[in-house]
Amino acid sequence: MRENLTIGFIGNPNCGKTTLFNAYTGANLKVANWPGVTVEKVEGAIKDHDLNIRLVDLPGTYSLTSYTMEEQVSRQFILSDEVDVIIDVADASALERNLYLTLQLLELGKPVVLALNMMDIVEKRGMEIDTHRLPEMLGIPVIPVSARKRIGLDVLLHAAAHHKDCKDPECLIHHHKYKPKHRHDHHSEYAMVYSDAIEDKIDLIMAELKRKYPNLTNYRWHAIKLLEQDKEISERYPVSLPDVIDRNYESDIINEKYDFIQEIIREVLVNKDRQDALTEKVDQALTHRVWGIPIFLGIMAVVFFLTFTIGDWLKGYFEMGIESLSALLSDGLVAAGVNEMLRSLLVDGIVAGVGGILTFLPNIFILFLALAFLEDSGYMARVAYVMEGIMSKLGLSGRAFIPMILGFGCTVPAIMASRALENRRDRFKVMLITPFMSCSARLPIYILFAEMFFQEHAMLVAYSMYLIGLLVAILVAAVIHLIDRRKSENYLLIELPEYKIPSSRTVAIYVWEKVKDYLTKAGTTIFVASILMWVILNFGPQGYTTEMADSFGAILGHWLVPFFAPIGLGFWQIAVALIAGISAKEVVVSSCAVLFGVPNINSGAGMDTLVGILSASGFGQLNAFCLMVFCLLYIPCAAALATIRKESGSTRWMLLSALFQLVVAWVVTFIVYRIGLFI
Amino acid sequence: MLVTGIIVLGVAVYAVWAVRKIRKDRKNGSCCGGSCSGCVGKEYCSK
């Protein structure tokens, strides 16, 4: 019978931990939140070495203090009985920076295996790491791996499986070649030994802890935390030793750890100064004080260009498929003698609605592929650095721009990313402005209306939506900052990883997750919304009707027209589509297909038909532009609203947020419409 | 008639499944774009 083993993966951000984790688990992930907090928890399961292995991906962190939720969650998990072995993933090309976390992990007293990742980069730079001396100095197995090239993965897992029972000092293979300088000689017991003064204090605190808390484990770690005046440990295990803990020793302990790290680096790392010259050269351009932002806008324009051109080319095949399916279904249903009402539901409701959304899959695919490429290449971290100047003028740190960038993909993970901001006020500010960033769900609306009304300028018009969203977000943040002048306490401290060729596996898994989610949304939310839309448009006070103008939908739409008329959207069908779009933004497009009775709305013929219908009602270019602006800015979709509620912990905040966005959307669209009429 | 009945049943069953999936996702948290917010402990977002 197989035994169970739980392995926790931990490491600094950008050390390749996720790539390594994905290499083991593939796309077989489960995502949840750690209990009681909003930090994401990712788990996978594999079978190896006659073991059922549960892999848990802990949040990327530089240390294990108790300042942030990520650190607290990681620390609690490691200390719990849930985990058997920790795999500490370190970027071997930046070993000095990564070893601080390693030393903290060793003090936790759980079995640790150090995975030296990115060894291919180390080799490329001509650096060498003495992988025999390093385990001697740390007292744990050290396994060189390259997650990207899938080298060393089996060896790493083998080491973890065999190291799981190594908690006793006998398992440490550690000896200095130097005679110990200290009176205390713990070098055969612990990798990290402090100066005599600190070790004396640790001994005294340990004695007191043993007396007061006889059931506690790992006295040494608790003693070190008490010396650091760690908030959580000080509250849970107070001791009265005012002469010993006479001040905060955190900086002393940190400094001594870094002294030891320097000793390690001197002994194990050869040719450490060979930095990646290419990264430096590229960064001179991409993070330039003046050109950094225009380059960022240019890169986003390229992303958009690819989304439109390649995406549209692939979209053509999807359109043909949906058109054929629609015709086949219609003919088949007629031949089978199916009731006309049911035929209308299937063809004009479900196929038109869901099919209309599915044809945009290629554009969505290209957009997420490009974003994944930028993320994995290391460029996205530069954007936060580049935007630091603007963000600090808005009272925020450059780190606040990271959720905003994520908003280009989807508002849900973008709002979740605001957790990285330690300041609660900044988190709420970012949650308020992030939905203005144009998410991928709005892309079908832009593509449809821009291509219908702006033809050769379609791409430019659609790209302008992204710029308008960014501009509105910045303006709103500026206004909030003018009202609330308190500056953000979050100073930007961000690691800029080396540029690298994105891992095809990481990108593929990332894009597949997004595509799967899009298809799931089409098959659930869009499907249900299409049926509901069909029902309200084909049933009225007199029952089933083929005249849409007599339907419940038309009645509702006409009620809403006075609200939308001043902003150029005084058409009842558009009003109904916008209300439906609150369930999911793509529903605006699928609703138009049902509302205007255009089955294959994305085909050339479908668009011509729709343009004809709209133009006949007086809906022109300006109205189309206003519609896109309103869709960009108004109430986010139901999933985003639920996320805002969860992350803010307040239904009131969610409702205020939604109302705020509606008001901003209306005002901005009003201004655009009036300027358009004037021109 | 038989064909109509089968189609209606099929659409109804699928619609019920879709609504239950939407509610399950919302209950566990909110999922979109490959990320989920709010799932706790054993209640995993469907991936």
Side-chain angles (χ1 to χ4, degrees):
Chain A
M1 194 173 119
R2 284 175 186 265
E3 268 185 57
N4 296 326
L5 176 72
T6 299
I7 300 177
F9 281 73
I10 195 168
N12 288 5
N14 299 309
C15 69
K17 181 167 61 70
T18 303
T19 308
L20 184 61
F21 187 84
N22 285 348
Y24 287 117
T25 60
N28 299 319
L29 302 175
K30 284 183 179 174
V31 179
N33 277 344
W34 292 89
V37 293
T38 52
V39 178
E40 205 169 71
K41 176 186 186 186
V42 185
E43 280 195 29
I46 56 172
K47 287 179 172 42
D48 199 84
H49 279 85
D50 290 330
L51 295 165
N52 292 322
I53 304 178
R54 175 181 159 224
L55 304 173
V56 180
D57 192 11
L58 297 167
T61 179
Y62 291 104
S63 67
L64 292 174
T65 62
S66 57
Y67 295 134
T68 66
M69 275 193 297
E70 282 83 3
E71 290 171 336
Q72 286 170 33
V73 144
S74 299
R75 199 164 83 173
Q76 277 160 21
F77 179 73
I78 294 167
L79 287 170
S80 73
D81 291 331
E82 264 193 270
V83 70
D84 300 308
V85 185
I86 299 292
I87 291 183
D88 174 23
V89 185
D91 176 1
S93 64
L95 193 59
E96 205 169 328
R97 199 164 50 228
N98 284 251
L99 281 177
Y100 182 74
L101 179 63
T102 310
L103 293 184
Q104 288 192 309
L105 287 168
L106 293 177
E107 286 178 342
L108 284 169
K110 277 284 169 74
V112 177
V113 175
L114 178 62
L116 285 183
N117 196 20
M118 302 186 182
M119 286 301 289
D120 51 323
I121 296 177
V122 167
E123 272 177 41
K124 205 172 79 158
R125 287 206 218 149
M127 291 158 66
E128 288 179 63
I129 297 176
D130 187 343
T131 52
H132 294 287
R133 186 71 186 113
L134 187 55
E136 287 178 353
M137 297 190 80
L138 294 176
I140 56 173
V142 173
I143 312 294
V145 300
S146 170
R148 213 158 55 100
K149 297 193 171 174
R150 300 174 75 87
I151 296 171
L153 305 190
D154 289 336
V155 173
L156 178 61
L157 208 57
H158 187 92
H162 285 280
H163 195 61
K164 65 182 172 63
D165 295 321
C166 260
K167 290 171 194 163
D168 299 333
E170 288 88 318
C171 288
L172 291 171
I173 25 167
H174 171 195
H175 43 263
H176 270 310
K177 72 177 191 184
Y178 306 109
K179 217 169 143 60
K181 293 177 206 165
H182 318 138
R183 177 167 34 84
H184 287 270
D185 186 9
H186 295 307
H187 293 287
S188 57
E189 296 168 75
Y190 312 114
M192 180 66 217
V193 177
Y194 299 96
S195 60
D196 283 340
I198 301 279
E199 287 291 342
D200 282 342
K201 288 184 183 290
I202 290 172
D203 285 344
L204 288 168
I205 297 171
M206 279 175 67
E208 178 63 9
L209 282 170
K210 281 175 187 168
R211 188 192 67 79
K212 212 171 166 189
Y213 308 102
N215 294 324
L216 197 58
T217 53
N218 200 345
Y219 289 106
R220 183 175 171 83
W221 181 77
H222 285 91
I224 292 168
K225 290 295 126 189
L226 285 169
L227 266 181
E228 290 176 349
Q229 294 186 345
D230 181 279
K231 189 167 177 288
E232 191 197 343
I233 303 301
S234 299
E235 281 170 9
R236 282 179 72 185
Y237 303 104
V239 292
S240 178
L241 289 168
D243 295 330
V244 178
I245 312 174
D246 51 344
R247 61 174 175 86
N248 188 327
Y249 285 86
E250 189 179 13
S251 51
D252 303 72
I253 287 168
I254 290 171
N255 286 336
E256 289 193 25
K257 276 197 169 81
Y258 274 105
D259 287 342
F260 182 46
I261 289 171
Q262 287 301 316
E263 195 184 320
I264 294 173
I265 295 298
R266 269 195 304 271
E267 287 218 33
V268 310
L269 193 57
V270 181
N271 298 327
K272 84 174 190 102
D273 288 325
R274 291 194 188 176
Q275 301 295 321
D276 186 12
L278 179 64
T279 294
E280 262 187 71
K281 278 198 192 110
V282 174
D283 268 342
Q284 276 170 9
L286 296 187
T287 60
H288 192 269
R289 211 162 44 91
V290 172
W291 295 108
I293 295 176
I295 289 174
F296 163 64
L297 294 175
I299 289 174
M300 291 312 295
V302 169
V303 167
F304 220 70
F305 174 78
L306 292 171
T307 304
F308 255 70
T309 50
I310 304 176
D312 272 5
W313 172 67
L314 292 169
K315 188 157 74 85
Y317 294 102
F318 276 68
E319 282 164 12
M320 283 193 312
I322 298 292
E323 207 167 345
S324 308
L325 174 68
S326 182
L328 203 67
L329 182 65
S330 186
D331 294 341
L333 291 171
V334 167
V338 167
N339 174 279
E340 193 259 326
M341 186 169 79
L342 183 59
R343 200 164 15 99
S344 171
L345 168 65
L346 291 173
V347 177
D348 302 329
I350 295 171
V351 172
V354 178
I357 287 309
L358 285 178
T359 55
F360 290 105
L361 184 60
N363 304 91
I364 300 295
F365 171 79
I366 299 294
L367 175 69
F368 279 119
L369 185 65
L371 290 177
F373 198 87
L374 288 175
E375 167 71 37
D376 210 45
S377 68
Y379 176 66
M380 284 307 198
R382 267 81 183 167
V383 179
Y385 173 79
V386 159
M387 295 300 289
E388 165 69 9
I390 290 183
M391 300 307 280
S392 64
K393 288 184 173 57
L394 304 175
L396 291 166
S397 117
R399 191 181 289 282
F401 198 70
I402 295 171
M404 292 169 70
I405 300 171
L406 290 175
F408 285 137
C410 178
T411 308
V412 169
I415 290 175
M416 285 164 65
S418 65
R419 296 167 184 173
L421 301 169
E422 288 160 24
N423 186 301
R424 192 168 182 266
R425 194 173 50 86
D426 289 349
R427 272 205 305 276
F428 274 63
K429 218 183 203 177
V430 166
M431 277 197 270
L432 197 61
I433 62 177
T434 295
F436 292 127
M437 306 299 280
S438 186
C439 70
S440 60
R442 292 163 173 126
L443 191 61
I445 303 169
Y446 306 152
I447 293 174
L448 180 67
F449 283 88
E451 285 187 359
M452 280 198 301
F453 288 92
F454 296 92
Q455 291 101 26
E456 62 271 15
H457 301 297
M459 200 182 75
L460 194 60
V461 168
Y463 179 56
S464 73
M465 293 299 123
Y466 284 79
L467 295 180
I468 291 171
L470 183 57
L471 194 60
V472 169
I474 288 173
L475 279 171
V476 167
V479 168
I480 295 172
H481 182 55
L482 277 172
I483 299 167
D484 174 21
R485 277 257 169 204
R486 278 175 292 172
K487 200 176 161 15
S488 167
E489 287 152 17
N490 284 323
Y491 296 102
L492 179 65
L493 180 66
I494 192 167
E495 183 176 347
L496 300 183
E498 303 285 349
Y499 287 109
K500 58 180 172 69
I501 309 280
S503 154
S504 52
R505 190 179 161 84
T506 303
V507 167
I509 290 173
Y510 176 89
V511 173
W512 169 238
E513 289 294 319
K514 307 292 190 236
V515 166
K516 213 166 62 167
D517 205 66
Y518 188 81
L519 291 172
T520 305
K521 200 196 272 191
T524 53
T525 308
I526 309 288
F527 177 86
V528 171
S530 297
I531 292 179
L532 287 173
M533 189 62 50
W534 180 87
V535 167
I536 69 165
L537 292 173
N538 286 275
F539 283 85
Q542 314 299 330
Y544 177 67
T545 174
T546 51
E547 280 299 321
M548 225 177 263
D550 298 330
S551 67
F552 287 123
I555 296 169
L556 171 67
H558 284 297
W559 282 346
L560 294 169
V561 161
F563 174 80
F564 288 105
I567 57 174
L569 300 176
F571 305 87
W572 72 263
Q573 298 96 330
I574 298 295
V576 172
L578 287 171
I579 297 301
I582 296 174
S583 60
K585 289 285 172 274
E586 298 97 329
V587 172
V588 172
V589 169
S590 60
S591 299
C592 285
V594 179
L595 280 156
F596 295 102
V598 182
N600 199 356
I601 203 167
N602 294 315
S603 64
M607 281 194 207
D608 287 340
T609 308
L610 186 54
V611 168
I613 296 170
L614 286 169
S615 300
S617 317
F619 189 99
Q621 267 189 348
L622 178 58
N623 307 91
F625 194 81
C626 290
L627 175 62
M628 287 188 272
V629 171
F630 193 81
C631 287
L632 164 69
L633 299 172
Y634 87 125
I635 302 170
C637 67
L641 286 174
T643 305
I644 292 172
R645 184 167 66 87
K646 200 75 195 175
E647 298 295 316
S648 65
S650 162
T651 305
R652 203 167 70 112
W653 178 259
M654 177 198 77
L655 293 170
L656 278 171
S657 209
L659 183 63
F660 177 74
Q661 260 127 36
L662 183 62
V663 167
V664 168
W666 197 95
V667 168
V668 172
T669 313
F670 180 81
I671 293 169
V672 167
Y673 184 54
R674 293 297 148 184
I675 292 173
L677 285 176
F678 186 72
I679 295 170
Chain B
M1 192 68 188
L2 179 65
V3 173
T4 302
I6 290 170
I7 293 172
V8 168
L9 186 65
V11 170
V13 166
Y14 187 87
V16 166
W17 171 83
V19 167
R20 287 180 73 176
K21 178 147 173 55
I22 292 169
R23 287 186 65 181
K24 182 187 166 199
D25 280 352
R26 294 283 147 81
K27 189 180 153 195
N28 279 347
S30 186
C31 296
C32 172
S35 289
C36 298
S37 169
C39 315
V40 177
K42 291 191 169 68
E43 292 289 332
Y44 293 106
C45 301
S46 48
K47 277 282 194 189

